[in-house]
Amino acid sequence: AQTVTQSQPEMSVQEAETVTLSCTYDTSESDYYLFWYKQPPSRQMILVIRQEAYKQQNATENRFSVNFQKAAKSFSLKISDSQLGDAAMYFCAYNAGNNRKLIWGLGTSLAVNP
Amino acid sequence: EAGVTQSPTHLIKTRGQQVTLRCSPISGHTSVYWYQQALGLGLQFLLWYDEGEERNRGNFPPRFSGRQFPNYSSELNVNALELEDSALYLCASSYRGHSYNEQFFGPGTRLTVL
């Protein structure tokens, strides 16, 4: 069965510092997609970054980058120069094939301290 | 471009009642997904509709049902409400032409069952 695990229920970071959120997944598929979504207290789920499994290069979106280790089935999110607006729940999600449904981790609550 | 919209924002029902939640996808998106986000359980996939057809269903009882209309909007119906149905119900849409299935989320409907 495909599963996504986020082992850090809560994290905190000082403003302007860097934080890394962990995600591991289990799959027998070779072609799939991984996502990090952010859900602020306003609850609107927003896509942060996407990684295609067939791409070796790690995805980057401004201050957000991933460390994708396919063999280890690891997909961590690094947030650089953390801002107060980064405080939110962060969810790791997986999608493969024609299934189209996203499989989610339980999330990591990130607090940003001024 | 208008995002995914959901109505109503909040609902309070009692056990045994029925409820209908509504979702309008982003213009041009043909796929609509429903997720249940219960406290402590993360997001659970409910249903996927595309081109008016149910394409996939999560591990939920038959009292959870829905449909997709010709304009691609969707309804989620829950019959015989139970206390554990209290959750945030999120709708997402995607453009089926994208293999990576990036899903765009609405703000959700908060359902409370008393």
Side-chain angles (χ1 to χ4, degrees), chain B:
Chain B
E1 178 184 279
V4 177
T5 61
Q6 291 186 247
S7 63
T9 306
H10 296 88
L11 267 179
I12 299 176
K13 294 285 187 178
T14 56
R15 285 175 57 190
Q17 285 189 308
Q18 178 266 343
V19 68
T20 297
L21 311 181
R22 294 177 176 81
C23 172
S24 291
I26 291 172
S27 177
H29 288 189
T30 61
S31 282
V32 169
Y33 310 81
W34 288 96
Y35 294 89
Q36 182 194 66
Q37 188 177 19
L39 199 60
L41 294 179
L43 279 85
Q44 303 293 319
F45 168 75
L46 267 165
L47 291 159
W48 166 35
Y49 291 97
D50 185 72
E51 299 284 356
E53 300 286 330
E54 182 181 302
R55 303 294 183 179
N56 200 357
R57 182 182 180 85
N59 188 25
F60 281 84
R63 57 190 186 84
F64 286 84
S65 65
R67 55 179 173 167
Q68 187 179 33
F69 299 97
N71 66 354
Y72 304 116
S73 67
S74 176
E75 284 183 352
L76 173 68
N77 299 295
V78 188
N79 295 322
L81 284 166
E82 300 179 2
L83 297 179
E84 55 263 36
D85 296 334
S86 294
L88 180 66
Y89 289 85
L90 291 171
C91 171
S93 73
S94 73
Y95 172 57
R96 197 161 187 210
H98 290 158
S99 60
Y100 49 76
N101 190 28
E102 178 178 339
Q103 297 183 14
F104 296 81
F105 284 80
T109 294
R110 172 72 65 188
L111 173 64
T112 302
V113 182
L114 302 176

Side-chain angles (χ1 to χ4, degrees), chain A residues 35 37 39 43-44 99-100, chain B residues 37 56 101 103 105 107:
Chain A
F35 306 86
Y37 278 87
Q39 189 178 36
R43 80 188 184 207
Q44 184 92 36
N99 192 314
R100 306 291 283 188
Chain B
Q37 188 177 19
N56 200 357
N101 190 28
Q103 297 183 14
F105 284 80

Side-chain angles (χ1 to χ4, degrees), chain A residues 13-104:
Chain A
V13 63
Q14 291 298 123
E15 198 174 1
E17 296 295 308
T18 295
V19 64
T20 299
L21 308 183
S22 300
C23 173
T24 59
Y25 58 95
D26 188 24
T27 183
S28 58
E29 302 283 345
S30 59
D31 190 18
Y32 50 88
Y33 303 91
L34 296 162
F35 306 86
W36 277 99
Y37 278 87
K38 168 186 176 181
Q39 189 178 36
S42 67
R43 80 188 184 207
Q44 184 92 36
M45 193 77 75
I46 304 165
L47 178 69
V48 174
I49 200 165
R50 178 185 77 238
Q51 175 78 44
E52 291 89 338
Y54 64 86
K55 289 187 177 179
Q56 293 186 339
Q57 186 174 7
N58 289 323
T60 299
E61 287 288 342
N62 301 313
R63 298 182 296 107
F64 298 87
S65 61
V66 299
N67 184 5
F68 174 50
Q69 301 290 328
K70 190 172 184 179
K73 294 180 182 175
S74 171
F75 182 60
S76 60
L77 174 69
K78 185 172 82 172
I79 306 174
S80 304
D81 185 25
S82 296
Q83 301 175 359
L84 295 177
D86 294 334
M89 282 291 288
Y90 286 81
F91 293 94
C92 178
Y94 161 97
N95 172 244
N98 295 322
N99 192 314
R100 306 291 283 188
K101 72 178 182 182
L102 289 173
I103 299 171
W104 300 79

Side-chain angles (χ1 to χ4, degrees), chain A residues 8-13 18-22 88 108-113:
Chain A
Q8 307 151 315
E10 296 179 348
M11 294 277 288
S12 65
V13 63
T18 295
V19 64
T20 299
L21 308 183
S22 300
T108 297
S109 178
L110 178 66
V112 180
N113 304 314

